[in-house]
Amino acid sequence: MAIQDIFQSIVAFNDAHIAEQVQAEIDAGTDIASILNEGLIQAMDAVGKQFGEGKLFVPEMLRAAQTMKVGLEVLRPHLAGAEREERGTVVIGTVKGDLHDIGKNLVAMLLEGAGFTIVDLGVDVEPEKFLEAAKAYDARLVAMSALLTTTMPQMERGVRLIREAGLHAKTVVGGAPVTEDFAIKISADGYGADAPSAVELARTLTSER
Ligand code: B12
């Protein structure tokens, strides 16, 4: 068993063995971050590249995503178990019109591991729903994910609603097409390029009140 087998399962859209492959790597003592980055994330990047080049299509991409999710679930306790100090609530979701949730789930798992309580609104979340949940759960942070350039404007609406409501919740945005410049432009409080930087950002933003 090797990390390469995990990578191969995803690029071959084969979820039959991925759970045992990930478990075998964990049991062998392989670094959890390596399993995640070199096995799961790099494979999904490879799939995305092939999709971009027109070499595979949505059904295959969906099966690859499903395979990655099975692997991520096996990793979940190891990602989320690291630290347990209560740091407040994070409301997280993928913005309206966007159904991509793997990156969002990963960010949620790492934030949970870092001691935050997670309220996951799922995918296709209206800006108003982020606001409602931020109020209802007295959130310290509202985290929005977008993978489509066409759904990024929904982040702007969400950030604006939360600012206008005068809540203490800070807003953070991320997802493949999102940039630091975009975050500044829409007046979000922060931008994270990946799940570990989302955790750093969350820690920093929630320690300054
Ligand atoms: C898997 C996938 C799908 C799956 C999604 C399954 C699921 N449950 O998520 C399915 C098949 C459903 C899908 C559908 C579509 N997809 Co798609 N998809 C992808 C793919 C291959 C991988 C995305 C992924 O999961 N990456 C792995 C995760 C771990 O990375 P990530 O999401 O970027 O998240 C990381 C960071 O961005 C960051 N992050 C993410 N969110 C947040 C939030 C915060 C707050 C922070 C701080 C950080 C952060 O941390 C994460 C972890 O490190 C990408 C290509 C790519 N490489 O991105 C295309 C891609 C995003 N899809 C694309 C397209 C076009 C589509 C469709 C329109 C295709 C179609 N014609 O129907 C539909 C849209 C459906 C919809 N309305 O959303 C395009 C988008 C182009 C664009 N710029 O707009 C891409 C880039 C493919 C391409 N090369 O063209 N897709």
Side-chain angles (χ1 to χ4, degrees):
M1 275 310 165
I3 288 185
Q4 195 55 27
D5 296 329
I6 298 172
F7 182 101
Q8 278 307 328
S9 279
I10 295 175
V11 297
F13 343 117
N14 178 0
D15 67 5
H17 305 294
I18 184 120
E20 47 199 87
Q21 287 165 338
V22 172
Q23 191 58 53
E25 281 307 303
I26 297 169
D27 294 345
T30 306
D31 178 35
I32 299 296
S34 304
I35 304 175
L36 177 65
N37 294 321
E38 292 155 38
L40 302 172
I41 293 182
Q42 282 184 20
M44 228 31 232
D45 281 348
V47 169
K49 191 158 172 279
Q50 288 188 51
F51 175 79
E53 291 165 352
K55 290 183 184 154
L56 54 83
F57 304 95
V58 172
E60 287 99 341
M61 207 157 59
L62 202 49
R63 282 164 53 207
Q66 177 52 31
T67 305
M68 181 177 180
K69 279 188 174 182
V70 174
L72 257 186
E73 279 308 312
V74 179
L75 269 193
R76 178 195 275 274
H78 302 271
L79 295 171
E83 214 181 303
R84 281 258 49 106
E85 180 196 335
E86 186 45 53
R87 289 174 180 272
T89 298
V90 178
V91 166
I92 190 166
T94 302
V95 298
K96 185 170 184 298
D98 204 321
L99 304 177
H100 296 86
D101 67 356
I102 296 176
K104 182 264 297 168
N105 292 345
L106 201 49
V107 169
M109 279 182 202
L110 289 206
L111 286 173
E112 191 183 351
F116 291 92
T117 301
I118 304 298
V119 176
D120 189 343
L121 303 179
V123 297
D124 195 18
V125 180
E126 302 260 0
E128 291 76 11
K129 288 265 180 249
F130 282 106
L131 174 62
E132 275 170 31
K135 280 187 189 157
Y137 295 96
D138 189 25
R140 303 286 309 275
L141 210 65
V142 176
M144 298 179 212
S145 178
L147 265 286
L148 298 173
T149 42
T150 48
T151 58
M152 287 165 62
Q154 298 296 334
M155 290 179 152
E156 186 165 9
R157 287 183 54 206
V159 168
R160 184 160 20 92
L161 284 180
I162 287 159
R163 281 197 174 263
E164 285 172 0
L167 305 183
H168 72 205
K170 300 271 172 66
T171 51
V172 296
V173 293
V178 180
T179 62
E180 177 106 58
D181 282 352
F182 176 76
I184 293 169
K185 187 173 148 248
I186 67 168
S187 305
D189 295 299
Y191 157 76
D194 54 25
S197 46
V199 171
E200 274 316 299
L201 189 63
R203 284 195 175 124
T204 311
L205 288 173
T206 56
S207 59
E208 26 173 271
R209 265 243 189 198

